[in-house]
Every structure is written in structure tokens, then in C-alpha cells.
Amino acid sequence: MIPHLGEEEAQAAADAVRSGWVAQGPRVKQFEQEFAALVGASHGVATSSCTTALHLALVLLGIKPGDEVVVPSFSFIATANAVRYVGATPVFADVDLATGNITVETIDSVRTPRTRAVIAVHQGGVPFDTAALRKAADGWGVHLVEDAACAAGSTAYGQPAGTGAAVAAWSFHPRKLLTTGEGGMVTVDDALFAGRLRRLREHGMNVSAADRHASSQPVLEAYLETAFNYRMTDIQAAIGLVQLGRLPGLVAQRRSLATRYHELLADIEGLVPVRDPAYGQTNYQSFWVLLDGFKTTRDEVLAELATRGVSARRGIMAAHLEPAYADITPPPLPVTERLTRNSLILPLHHKLTADDQEHIVSVLRGLSR
Ligand SMILES: *Cc1c(COP(=O)(O)O)cnc(C)c1O
């Protein structure tokens, strides 16, 4: 992933600096409103990252020690870590082979009476089945937090991923489609949730520092609960506002590059590229291919690609295989292990050319026979 940053972002950041307002202020507010509108949510609360956004989401929902939260192991480790930040226990669920996402069935098979929430991830931009999971979570009486870190520009059931979510968390790290350097957002429809999230990200204050400074009268703030400093800066938001305008073009370009990959890879045995699920469209943030009966092992493929000047990456990680989670005995996670061990992520970025794609596929073709 190469971030798409231009002169416009540089100018916007410089304008924020010259304005003298660099901490959370008017640009953050505008970014929140425009981003929320883009993903079909009523409110956006900007944060310092998606990791802190996920933490706030679980605090908001009152998840606490003794509670279990079902998460995919097949995700960036921050998804599981957020559960531990509130002292709760992550319970790993397996994923669907085609989408890399947890499903009603995989969640149901690890659910217990202590399950209070599920964090479902739109992995690599591939939407999970929002309709099915939201309905199942309602039926079970558990909260559904949507980790939409990778999902800006993805759709499910004809709407942007995030539309209709009770709580969704987003990332603006440079590895995602939209970037503010570091940054995140929680989107919600409930106004009370939004108010509490604003307070939680800013030391528990009943009035934001920006509103206090803007007031002509002295405002005496109160600190209503022990909270955090998870604010975004106005410099970041200024960059984000420019990035929002790039999103449709970025997604369209990635989808056409992905289509070209599908055409080029079609006749190669033992190689299964990620695709849109029946109910939605991925933004192809990660274009992964699963080796399934391929002639060469994944690590040999990665090594050969590197030798030939192609920087592919290993597939998405599995948290339960990392030392940080060695103390957990997970249920069997055969699909997760198969995906993480046998998949790789091919280069897909706005500078990738047709020649690059042909070169990459020719290396893979050579390894397939
Ligand atoms: C990148 C990512 C995160 C963490 O995002 P940050 O903004 O870097 O904290 C969380 N979950 C998933 C699925 C991610 O891909």
C-alpha cells in the first residue's frame, strides 16, 4: 500500500498550521461530519487511531473484566488487543475461507453465556455479511462492534460499509485507503453514544477544549469520569478532508487493477484470488491470493517474487499464533490457519502499471509448473 498524498494535502496541513489552531478544532469537526456522511452514519467522533477507536467503543458499551468478546484471530492484532484494554477476554472465532470474515456460524460455535459483544472485521476491505451478523447479534442480545479499519469505500447490500452499524471503528493509518498519518474515527447513529464518545476521548470533560476556547464567557469544565486523551489534531483532519475527495477515484482504480489481476491469474492452477462476496463489494485494500494445491510453498513464492523485484507480503496475520496470545487456548481455527499460512498479498497501489501486473503474474506462472 502506497499512500496517495499530494500537494493538496501538503497545502491543507500548512493552512492548518498557519491558522494557529493545530489541536482538535474546527477541521476535526468538519472531517467528522463529512466522513460520517460518506459512510452513512449520523455521527463521527475522530480519534488518534482505530486502535483507540476500538478501545472507546468497548468502554462505551460497558464491556468489563469477566466479559467475553468474540473476535476473529484472522485480523491485525489491534482487534483482539482492544478487548484486553478493558480487561475482558477475547474469544477467537474462525473465518470463512472466501471472505476471511467471521460468520454467524463461527461466532455461534464459540459463544457462551458470558459473551457480551462481537467485534466483526471487514477484513482487507472485504465486507462481512452485515445483514446476517447484525440480525444474529440482536437475537443473541450481544453488542456488535464493526472494525471497519480497512473498509472505507467498501459496500454491503448496496450501501457503504458502516451504514446501519451501531458502532463502527475506522483507521486512517497510511496502510489504509484514506490516511491522516495516524488517526481513526468511531461512527454511530445514536446521539447519546456520540456525546459519551466525545467525552471519553477528551479526559471525560463535559465541554470540549475547543468549545471552551470559542466561548466569550469563562466556561468551567467538569470531569465526569476517568477517560482518555485520544484526540485527533486539526493538522491531521485537514489532510483527511482532502483525502475524502480522493476516495471514489482510489476505489475505482483499485477495482479495475483487481479485475485485471483476475483476468491474468485465471489460468494459473492452485491460486485463488480474493473476490467480491455475493452481498457487496470490496475496496480491494488487500488483494490476497490463497495457494490451494499450488506447486510452490507460500514462503518460496514470496522469496522468488522478492528476487524478481516484487514486494509481496505474507497473508493477514492470526493473533492466536503470536506470543502475546500464547496464554489462550483457542478453539480449532483451521480456516484461519490455512489462510494465514498459505496466502500472500500482491502489490496493488495507485502507481501499479499494466506492465507491473504482467511481470508479477509471469513470476507466479513460472512457479506454478
Ligand atoms: C489497521 C487495523 C487496525 C488498527 O488501526 P490503527 O489506526 O493503526 O490503530 C485495527 N483493525 C484492523 C482490522 C486493521 O486492519
Side-chain angles (χ1 to χ4, degrees), residues 49-51 54 75-76 78-79 121 123 147 149-150 171 173 176 183:
S49 70
C50 182
T51 304
L54 287 167
S75 183
F76 184 58
T79 309
V121 181
Q123 194 49 260
D147 181 341
C150 309
S171 175
H173 184 273
K176 322 295 177 179

Side-chain angles (χ1 to χ4, degrees), residues 342-360:
N342 299 319
S343 61
L344 64 151
I345 297 173
L346 297 183
L348 182 54
H349 51 79
H350 64 282
K351 291 185 173 157
L352 194 73
T353 65
D355 281 355
D356 293 337
Q357 286 189 293
E358 267 160 42
H359 171 61
I360 292 161

Side-chain angles (χ1 to χ4, degrees), residues 157-331:
Y157 295 97
Q159 292 180 306
T163 303
V167 189
W170 307 81
S171 175
F172 309 117
H173 184 273
R175 284 225 195 144
K176 322 295 177 179
L177 256 67
L178 296 182
T179 187
T180 57
E182 291 278 0
M185 184 93 69
V186 189
T187 55
V188 293
D189 284 335
D190 184 315
L192 289 175
F193 273 11
R196 175 99 191 281
L197 287 165
R198 291 187 202 294
R199 199 162 86 204
L200 285 169
R201 90 169 148 195
E202 195 170 14
H203 307 294
M205 289 197 299
N206 62 343
V207 47
S208 80
D211 288 345
R212 192 152 41 89
H213 288 299
S215 168
S216 58
Q217 296 297 311
V219 179
L220 299 182
E221 79 279 13
Y223 298 85
L224 304 182
E225 60 184 318
T226 306
F228 310 92
N229 174 3
Y230 284 169
R231 287 174 298 214
M232 177 184 275
T233 69
D234 253 31
I235 306 172
Q236 292 168 299
I239 295 170
L241 282 164
V242 178
Q243 288 268 297
L244 290 183
R246 294 197 195 276
L247 185 65
L250 279 176
V251 174
Q253 189 197 14
R254 298 183 79 81
R255 290 187 55 82
S256 94
L257 288 167
T259 301
R260 185 71 189 126
Y261 264 139
H262 284 145
E263 290 163 5
L264 292 170
L265 294 168
D267 66 336
I268 302 185
E269 284 275 309
L271 214 158
V272 188
V274 63
R275 289 179 185 280
D276 287 333
Y279 50 79
Q281 291 193 341
T282 169
N283 59 11
Y284 284 110
Q285 183 187 286
S286 295
F287 189 87
W288 76 72
V289 293
L290 173 66
L291 305 183
D292 184 12
F294 196 68
K295 274 270 165 60
T296 318
T297 68
R298 194 272 309 270
D299 291 352
E300 284 163 356
V301 174
L302 283 177
E304 180 62 12
L305 284 167
T307 305
R308 305 280 299 275
V310 179
S311 70
R313 289 187 294 127
R314 71 167 206 186
I316 289 153
M317 65 175 297
H320 78 281
L321 300 176
E322 295 300 320
Y325 286 92
D327 57 324
I328 284 187
T329 307

